[in-house]
Amino acid sequence: MNPQKFQSFSIKIWEILGAVSIRTKIFGIVLGSTLLLSIGFALQTRLALQEVLEQKSQEQGISIAQDLASSSTDLILVNDLYALHQLLEEVENSFSDVRYAFVLDPEGYVLAHTFGEGFPIELLDINPLTKDEHHSLLALETNEGIVWDVAESIFDGRAGTARVGISSQSMQETLAKLTTQLGLTVLGVLGVSLLAATLLTWILTRPILELVDATLTVGGGDFSVRVQRWANDEIGDLAEAFNQMTMELGRIDEIRAEREKLRRQLIEGMITAQEDERRRIARELHDSTSQSLTSLKVGLRALETICDRPETHHHVVNLRHVLNQTLEEVREMAIQLRPAALDDLGLTAALERYLANWQTQHDINVDCVIHTADSRLPEYVETAVYRIVQESLTNVARHAEATSVSVLVERRTNDVITVIEDDGKGFDESKAKSGSRLGLLGMRERTELLGGKLTIESTPQKGTSLFFRIPIGTNDRVKA
Ligand SMILES: Nc1ncnc2c1ncn2[C@@H]1O[C@H](COP(=O)(O)OP(=O)(O)OP(=O)(O)O)[C@@H](O)[C@H]1O
Ligand SMILES: [Mg+2]
């Protein structure tokens, strides 16, 4: 595998392993290593046992063959074949693992055997002894497994050879029994390690999972959460540090909330003061300035009638026209500042008058739908909606290059919805934010102060929609 392939392979493996929960990881590591160790240990023990038992079986075969060889020497020399046969029978009966025994004379002829009627002559051709050998071993594959054929020279080969067949069956049975016991031990160890892994996982992960939960809660803005210090280790230190951190965050959040409250109060105060001031100046303009100018107008008209000299008459007429214009401008200024209609007749009338005026002034078609259920809204809501429409339409006139604009004001059960939609060039909201641009920011602030929400949707070359939702009756903070 080249290094790049190996790297991508290891990344994939880590992706899979990394996605597994920490509990599964610890559990898997403890259980996996215990399983591997126990199986390795069991296999190693089984192999060692097999070797020892095989060696024992061979040693037993050699020792039986040696005993047989020394016991049969005299019987061969005196040619007592009956006793030799008896001896072989005795050997076979005394040792359960002995499958056969026979004795050959020096020429290789069978003198006695334990096969009864049929002696398997193929045994004569295998496992021969060389001159210098005292004994020789040969493994024979049989139906019942390996049988060790042991050949032992009698009287250094001068009296012949003793042959014994030792079965490994009992050894295999012992091995099978031991293997079962080892398997059970492995299962026991696994059971214990399962318990240990569960306990270890629980001890290690409980504080970590608690920390994860607490971190998520802190992420959600709740800094009051604290975790328990479970032990005096590194995880305990982490829990302590976490608690310190949340305490500090809580403190900072309190300061932030206090500052936010002050900021809102300041904005509320500013809006209220501004609105009061506008109302006062508008009333002043209407009640005092306009009245004085009207009196002046009446005076000029009277002067006009009594004035005989044509030049003077002409001047008086001109002055009256200038005065008319000034009176109109003062009225317009008063309306702009705070239309009396808003206080006297309500939002619908004030807006209709404003929109009609705006349409004529800017030559942009205004489509206006106002549903306020023919009843007055709270004063601060009416003022806010009026100012929002005013500011939005100022933006349309200044930036949108629109041909038409629609204004919808609708009173619902718990709130007032205001939508201002134009078909102008639109804009990118993220780029429209700057310190000197206060229109949209002010509208958002004003809406949020009343517990409402402003949503802006603008698509370049398609137009802009401003969607305001202001709750009614739940807010008693801004009453401009
Ligand atoms: N209806 C609109 N159509 C296109 N662009 C708009 C519209 N409304 C606002 N914008 C863009 O958003 C910007 C921000 O508007 P905002 O009212 O906050 O500031 P401004 O009008 O530039 O200045 P001011 O503080 O005097 O209101 C504008 O400069 C303009 O580029
Ligand atoms: Mg603006």
Side-chain angles (χ1 to χ4, degrees):
M1 202 184 281
N2 69 33
Q4 263 181 351
K5 269 191 184 163
F6 177 74
Q7 201 182 358
S8 67
F9 174 73
S10 40
I11 288 172
K12 258 186 204 153
I13 291 287
W14 181 241
E15 265 173 19
I16 296 167
L17 291 181
V20 171
S21 77
I22 192 157
R23 280 203 163 154
T24 319
K25 275 192 198 107
I26 297 178
F27 209 72
I29 289 170
V30 175
L31 218 60
S33 49
T34 316
L35 191 71
L36 276 178
L37 280 175
S38 343
I39 289 179
F41 173 74
L43 284 176
Q44 192 68 31
T45 314
R46 192 185 181 278
L47 266 175
L49 267 172
Q50 191 173 5
E51 239 172 63
V52 169
L53 286 173
E54 260 177 19
Q55 205 180 340
K56 283 271 167 241
S57 174
Q58 289 168 10
E59 279 170 10
Q60 191 196 20
I62 292 168
S63 132
I64 292 170
Q66 277 172 347
D67 282 353
L68 179 63
S70 64
S71 308
S72 56
T73 314
D74 290 343
L75 301 177
I76 295 170
L77 291 178
V78 294
N79 203 22
D80 188 350
L81 293 182
Y82 177 73
L84 191 61
H85 187 262
Q86 289 289 101
L87 178 66
L88 292 179
E89 292 280 311
E90 205 184 299
V91 167
E92 190 179 43
N93 293 333
S94 312
F95 299 100
S96 60
D97 287 342
V98 174
R99 288 292 171 269
Y100 61 81
F102 61 93
V103 175
L104 304 172
D105 67 6
E107 277 73 42
Y109 290 110
V110 180
L111 294 176
H113 64 79
T114 57
F115 287 106
E117 293 291 293
F119 181 86
I121 35 175
E122 60 273 14
L123 281 179
L124 296 179
D125 302 329
I126 57 164
N127 201 14
L129 274 177
T130 57
K131 250 191 193 170
D132 309 323
E133 270 181 335
H134 281 288
H135 59 255
S136 147
L137 262 175
L138 181 73
L140 302 178
E141 287 278 358
T142 68
N143 292 341
E144 63 167 274
I146 300 280
V147 170
W148 292 101
D149 184 275
V150 188
E152 180 73 35
S153 65
I154 307 170
F155 202 38
D156 290 335
R158 278 173 279 169
T161 310
R163 298 265 298 269
V164 179
I166 301 287
S167 167
S168 62
Q169 196 181 20
S170 68
M171 180 210 87
Q172 291 296 346
E173 279 167 9
T174 314
L175 197 62
K177 242 188 237 168
L178 281 168
T179 310
T180 315
Q181 276 174 7
L182 275 173
L184 288 174
T185 312
V186 168
L187 280 180
V189 169
L190 274 182
V192 172
S193 73
L194 197 78
L195 275 177
T198 314
L199 193 71
L200 187 71
T201 311
W202 188 79
I203 290 172
L204 283 179
T205 58
R206 192 183 164 150
I208 294 176
L209 293 184
E210 200 184 321
L211 272 168
V212 170
D213 279 348
T215 312
L216 287 176
T217 314
V218 169
D222 178 1
F223 302 116
S224 64
V225 65
R226 299 285 179 272
V227 291
Q228 196 175 333
R229 184 182 177 124
W230 287 95
N232 282 331
D233 56 10
E234 290 89 337
I235 297 178
D237 292 345
L238 183 64
E240 201 72 44
F242 178 87
N243 286 343
Q244 290 274 335
M245 185 189 75
T246 46
M247 245 162 65
E248 189 60 17
L249 281 175
R251 206 179 55 80
I252 293 169
D253 191 53
E254 266 171 30
I255 296 172
R256 190 198 56 77
E258 190 56 36
R259 284 192 185 154
E260 177 64 20
K261 200 172 141 197
L262 281 175
R263 192 184 70 88
R264 281 174 170 256
Q265 278 172 354
L266 198 68
I267 295 173
E268 276 178 31
M270 272 165 56
I271 291 174
T272 314
Q274 188 190 46
E275 219 47 64
D276 284 348
E277 191 61 10
R278 282 179 168 190
R279 192 187 276 123
R280 195 187 61 75
I281 297 172
R283 208 154 272 162
E284 186 78 15
L285 285 175
H286 180 268
D287 295 349
S288 178
T289 317
S290 290
Q291 289 313 316
S292 307
L293 290 175
T294 310
S295 310
L296 215 64
K297 199 172 127 186
V298 173
L300 281 176
R301 184 161 287 159
L303 197 64
E304 204 181 306
T305 48
I306 55 165
C307 193
D308 299 335
R309 285 179 59 192
E311 310 96 83
T312 318
H313 187 266
H314 181 69
H315 276 306
V316 172
V317 168
N318 276 351
L319 274 177
R320 200 165 52 81
H321 280 145
V322 173
L323 193 63
N324 269 344
Q325 212 176 329
T326 311
L327 198 56
E328 205 44 52
E329 280 169 10
V330 167
R331 264 200 207 118
E332 181 61 31
M333 212 183 288
I335 290 172
Q336 282 289 333
L337 278 168
R338 171 100 191 170
L342 187 59
D343 294 322
D344 304 339
L345 305 173
L347 181 65
T348 312
L351 269 185
E352 277 170 353
R353 211 172 276 184
Y354 171 74
L355 291 172
N357 218 351
W358 189 87
Q359 177 166 265
T360 336
Q361 221 177 351
H362 298 284
D363 199 21
I364 298 173
N365 188 41
V366 179
D367 185 13
C368 146
V369 179
I370 302 170
H371 293 302
T372 53
D374 293 334
S375 61
R376 295 290 301 263
L377 289 163
E379 193 194 327
Y380 65 91
V381 177
E382 289 197 335
T383 307
V385 173
Y386 186 85
R387 293 295 178 213
I388 279 168
V389 172
Q390 218 179 11
E391 180 62 40
S392 303
L393 288 185
T394 307
N395 271 356
V396 173
R398 278 176 66 190
H399 312 292
E401 295 168 20
T403 55
S404 73
V405 56
S406 74
V407 177
L408 165 79
V409 178
E410 190 178 310
R411 180 192 189 141
R412 296 195 179 159
T413 322
N414 296 318
D415 42 31
V416 179
I417 305 296
T418 309
V419 185
I420 296 111
E421 239 172 8
D422 68 62
D423 62 353
K425 63 177 187 182
F427 69 105
D428 183 349
E429 202 199 336
S430 61
K431 289 179 191 158
K433 285 173 189 154
S434 101
S436 59
R437 290 169 177 174
L438 300 174
L440 291 175
L441 191 75
M443 285 193 273
R444 195 181 289 282
E445 281 289 349
R446 191 161 205 154
T447 313
E448 286 173 4
L449 269 178
L450 299 177
K453 194 172 177 231
L454 160 63
T455 312
I456 300 176
E457 279 173 21
S458 189
T459 318
Q461 310 316 324
K462 291 229 166 113
T464 302
S465 302
L466 303 183
F467 186 94
F468 300 85
R469 189 187 59 76
I470 297 174
I472 315 167
T474 53
N475 194 298
D476 56 358
R477 296 170 74 184
V478 176
K479 299 206 166 121

